[in-house]
Amino acid sequence: MGISRETFLRHVSRARMDRIVFVAVFLLVSFFSGAFSKAMADDVIDTFSLEPVTRSSCQQHLDQQHTQDFIAEEIKAFQHLAEEALSLRAVTIKVGQSLHEKAQIGLPLSGKDMDLLSMGLATHLDLRKKLKAVAEAHECWLYMSERELRGAKLMPDEQLDGTILSLAAALVMYDNYMLTATLFNGDPKLRQLLNDGDQGYQVNKAELVKVAISYNSAIKRARVRRGMRYYEKVQKEGKHLKANPYLVALIDQSPSYNMVREWSPLHVLNSKMGVYENITRDFISELQNDGVSLFSMLFGNTVGLVETRKGKLYERQDVYTEIEGTLKCGDILLEKTPFRLTDKLIPGYWGHAAVWIGTEQEVRELGLWEHPLVQKHHNDIKKGNLVVEALRSGVEMNPLKRFLNIDSFGVLRREGVSAQDRKKIVLQALRQVGKSYDFNFDVESLEKVYCSKLIYLVYNGVDWPVKESFGRTTITPDDVAINVFTQDTLQLISFYHDGRKIQDSPASMLAGLMGVTQ
């Protein structure tokens, strides 16, 4: 016996069933009738997937004055929220790794460990609430006809930006849950601790279970898939090129995109039978069978290293040897990585800045090796972690080879710098190691640091061309580099563009790329 999609949808529309009964009837009828298909599943669930509460909040948001400028401000606010989520993901990974290492050698959890778990869960839940509001803010725009859009005075470009913004927020939430599942679902003790709750942090019991139920909800996944179908349609039409590149990169690089997209109705049946975590575990196993480490994917996404390809200077021994032989203590390193998410966020040619503290031999020659601050970092220096940089995970010391997974590279050096000045630069750079990432991008604060702010803090006595933005004083990597042309305080020592060393007039070429008139 067969049943057509149209007939089933018509009967569902007339019946207006309770959503739980609807899911049960849908699964049974479609399974036994032989009409069990993904296309039917999507169409059926789409008929009731936008919950009344969500439609109400979306409508309230729509009643606000929406213009391109208004949405642009929403996107800027979301960028900070997304970066906060990625930073929190980095911290969660570090904590998770530490706890797993303890468990492997049989050490019990300390009070500090359990406090970190509670504090981390409370922070994740608060962030999830904010992301959920963004995800729902423009969702109803997908369900509006052209006439309704005109009545709401929404232009097609505004609908595009709003819808992609909501989809990006939803995928960040799914990615965050995948991280939690990867780290904690396989450890009964940690999972139990997280579900016990902690009134000290206002975390109720079974919060992780509630998130898992929401994450595996067929209704919610269907809603996200509808956004995905819209996104894939505008991609085919080339309209996504008009959208904000940061949002496009977040969507394209989401580790959970394909998992949410490939949902089937059987997942609902499995969920009702109490195997929520198996869906995620099965997906993780599939990735691992294909040679993909989900843990690496999530960590890469956290620090901005999810890539469509490797950098053009990556593993170029000739480049590494030449650069290593050129560098001196205190040099400023600049990079451009158009294939990474982080590059979409930073305006200008350069996307990142860091400081070279020098080899062990250089540090010894400066007379700093026995300095108490330097002694704390002896192991890193001996290992070759000589680049101090501020990433989403905080200010770290990393090797030059890792840094050179880029397309373009520049070395800046302060004119006439003395050995005493170099000492100050090295020490000031090391003082920043361990600080958190500054998502406010405010140079007038000391507790947190972002990449070009690191240069601002380390290089005293330089008149940096800072800007005012959202009531904060900021500096970008291009603001650092422009000093080469405006004040002659810095010299351009070496410049690689698009994988090639620029030998002839490198400063003139860089000026052109940065839009600087000499």
Side-chain angles (χ1 to χ4, degrees):
M1 187 177 85
I3 182 171
S4 70
R5 288 168 54 190
E6 292 77 15
T7 301
F8 187 80
L9 287 172
R10 187 167 61 251
H11 282 288
V12 168
S13 179
R14 288 175 182 171
R16 298 186 180 277
M17 301 175 184
D18 173 87
R19 64 182 61 244
I20 296 176
V21 177
F22 176 90
V23 170
V25 171
F26 161 64
L27 286 169
L28 291 171
V29 173
S30 58
F31 182 79
F32 288 110
S33 68
F36 189 80
S37 71
K38 185 173 182 295
M40 181 176 182
D42 280 345
D43 285 349
V44 170
I45 292 180
D46 278 347
T47 62
F48 69 84
S49 63
L50 191 60
E51 301 169 30
V53 173
T54 300
R55 184 178 289 278
S56 174
S57 62
C58 183
Q59 185 60 51
Q60 288 174 8
H61 190 72
L62 182 61
D63 291 339
Q64 301 176 28
Q65 184 182 2
H66 270 86
T67 64
Q68 282 299 130
D69 289 341
F70 187 93
I71 295 177
E73 292 301 314
E74 288 185 297
I75 291 173
K76 283 182 182 178
F78 170 71
Q79 285 177 340
H80 290 291
L81 191 62
E83 292 294 312
E84 182 184 343
L86 294 167
S87 177
L88 181 59
R89 208 178 289 170
V91 174
T92 304
I93 286 170
K94 286 183 177 180
V95 171
Q97 285 177 320
S98 173
L99 297 183
H100 281 302
E101 288 169 3
K102 278 192 169 186
Q104 286 174 355
I105 59 176
L107 289 177
L109 295 177
S110 67
K112 181 181 178 181
D113 293 333
M114 289 185 283
D115 186 61
L116 277 174
L117 283 171
S118 293
M119 182 171 60
L121 181 57
T123 307
H124 271 288
L125 292 172
D126 180 64
L127 187 60
R128 181 176 178 271
K129 183 178 178 181
K130 295 174 183 176
L131 288 168
K132 186 171 181 285
V134 178
E136 294 178 348
H138 309 95
E139 186 183 357
C140 62
W141 296 11
L142 276 172
Y143 297 81
M144 297 171 69
S145 65
E146 289 186 13
R147 191 175 80 174
E148 287 173 321
L149 288 170
R150 286 195 300 271
K153 297 181 180 179
L154 272 179
M155 300 299 292
D157 287 350
E158 293 163 3
Q159 182 193 27
L160 173 66
D161 285 338
T163 303
I164 289 181
L165 173 58
S166 283
L167 177 59
L171 288 172
V172 170
M173 283 197 294
Y174 274 96
D175 292 344
N176 284 346
Y177 178 81
M178 282 180 68
L179 168 64
T180 306
T182 306
L183 289 175
F184 303 120
N185 269 4
D187 190 320
K189 181 195 287 187
L190 293 180
R191 190 168 65 245
Q192 182 62 49
L193 278 170
L194 289 169
N195 278 314
D196 279 347
D198 188 334
Q199 291 305 309
Y201 286 98
Q202 296 183 318
V203 175
N204 297 323
K205 287 183 177 292
E207 287 290 356
L208 193 59
V209 170
K210 293 174 187 175
V211 173
I213 291 171
S214 176
Y215 171 81
N216 286 288
S217 162
I219 306 300
K220 288 182 171 61
R221 291 196 183 201
R223 287 160 53 188
V224 176
R225 275 199 317 282
R226 181 158 187 166
M228 289 177 172
R229 292 201 299 275
Y230 171 85
Y231 176 70
E232 290 167 4
K233 178 185 176 186
V234 298
Q235 266 190 319
K236 287 181 182 178
E237 296 170 353
K239 294 178 182 177
H240 69 294
L241 299 174
K242 297 179 181 180
N244 181 280
Y246 182 81
L247 299 182
V248 170
L250 264 182
I251 294 170
D252 289 346
Q253 296 181 5
S254 166
S256 61
Y257 186 98
N258 285 334
M259 185 183 65
V260 177
R261 188 176 182 274
E262 295 304 318
W263 172 91
S264 79
L266 279 177
H267 287 168
V268 180
L269 190 57
N270 285 338
S271 295
K272 299 304 176 188
M273 295 168 70
V275 289
Y276 293 110
E277 69 278 6
N278 289 343
I279 300 169
T280 301
R281 288 180 183 171
D282 288 347
F283 178 71
I284 293 169
S285 296
E286 288 173 15
L287 286 176
Q288 290 171 338
N289 290 339
D290 291 336
V292 178
S293 166
L294 180 61
F295 203 81
S296 297
M297 284 174 63
L298 287 163
F299 183 75
N301 183 257
T302 299
V303 296
L305 299 179
V306 171
E307 305 158 345
T308 53
R309 58 174 173 82
K310 293 296 183 183
K312 294 181 179 180
L313 299 180
Y314 180 63
E315 292 190 344
R316 291 268 303 275
Q317 187 60 42
D318 58 328
V319 172
Y320 175 80
T321 302
E322 191 276 333
I323 290 173
E324 189 182 39
T326 300
L327 293 173
K328 292 184 179 181
C329 286
D331 282 351
I332 297 171
L333 312 183
L334 299 170
E335 69 168 40
K336 181 173 181 62
T337 52
F339 50 91
R340 287 186 193 153
L341 178 64
T342 44
D343 226 52
K344 310 296 182 184
L345 185 63
I346 309 298
Y349 176 76
W350 296 109
H352 186 54
V355 176
W356 174 260
I357 62 164
T359 63
E360 179 181 344
Q361 180 181 341
E362 288 180 280
V363 176
R364 285 184 181 276
E365 289 172 355
L366 283 176
L368 286 177
W369 188 248
E370 299 304 326
H371 190 285
L373 178 59
V374 176
Q375 286 180 354
K376 295 179 182 178
H377 302 287
H378 276 182
N379 286 339
D380 271 317
I381 295 173
K382 286 177 178 290
K383 290 177 182 177
N385 297 329
L386 309 176
V387 177
V388 175
E389 57 182 333
L391 302 174
R392 287 189 181 113
S393 47
V395 183
E396 303 174 353
M397 298 174 69
N398 290 311
L400 179 62
K401 284 189 176 180
R402 171 178 165 177
F403 188 88
L404 289 176
N405 184 14
I406 55 180
D407 280 3
S408 300
F409 175 77
V411 179
L412 307 183
R413 186 173 297 157
R414 190 168 183 178
E415 180 76 14
V417 64
S418 66
Q420 191 61 30
D421 289 333
R422 289 189 190 281
K423 286 184 181 181
K424 292 178 181 178
I425 291 168
V426 170
L427 291 175
Q428 190 65 357
L430 291 176
R431 286 189 182 102
Q432 312 312 313
V433 174
K435 291 186 178 181
S436 300
Y437 194 82
D438 183 3
F439 290 103
N440 285 323
F441 302 102
D442 182 5
V443 299
E444 294 183 305
S445 63
L446 294 173
E447 291 183 359
K448 299 181 180 182
V449 181
Y450 66 96
C451 69
S452 40
K453 178 179 175 178
L454 175 68
I455 311 303
Y456 185 87
L457 294 174
V458 167
Y459 274 75
N460 297 319
V462 177
D463 187 15
W464 298 110
V466 295
K467 298 182 178 70
E468 290 294 322
S469 177
F470 298 102
R472 296 182 291 270
T473 305
T474 66
I475 184 171
T476 68
D478 269 24
D479 293 330
V480 172
I482 204 169
N483 197 285
V484 172
F485 311 108
T486 58
Q487 296 184 37
D488 293 328
T489 309
L490 301 175
Q491 286 182 312
L492 180 64
I493 302 301
S494 181
F495 179 39
Y496 286 77
H497 171 65
D498 201 28
R500 179 174 61 90
K501 185 172 183 180
I502 306 304
Q503 304 279 7
D504 299 328
S505 304
S508 296
M509 182 171 184
L510 178 58
L513 291 167
M514 291 177 59
V516 177
T517 303
Q518 291 183 284

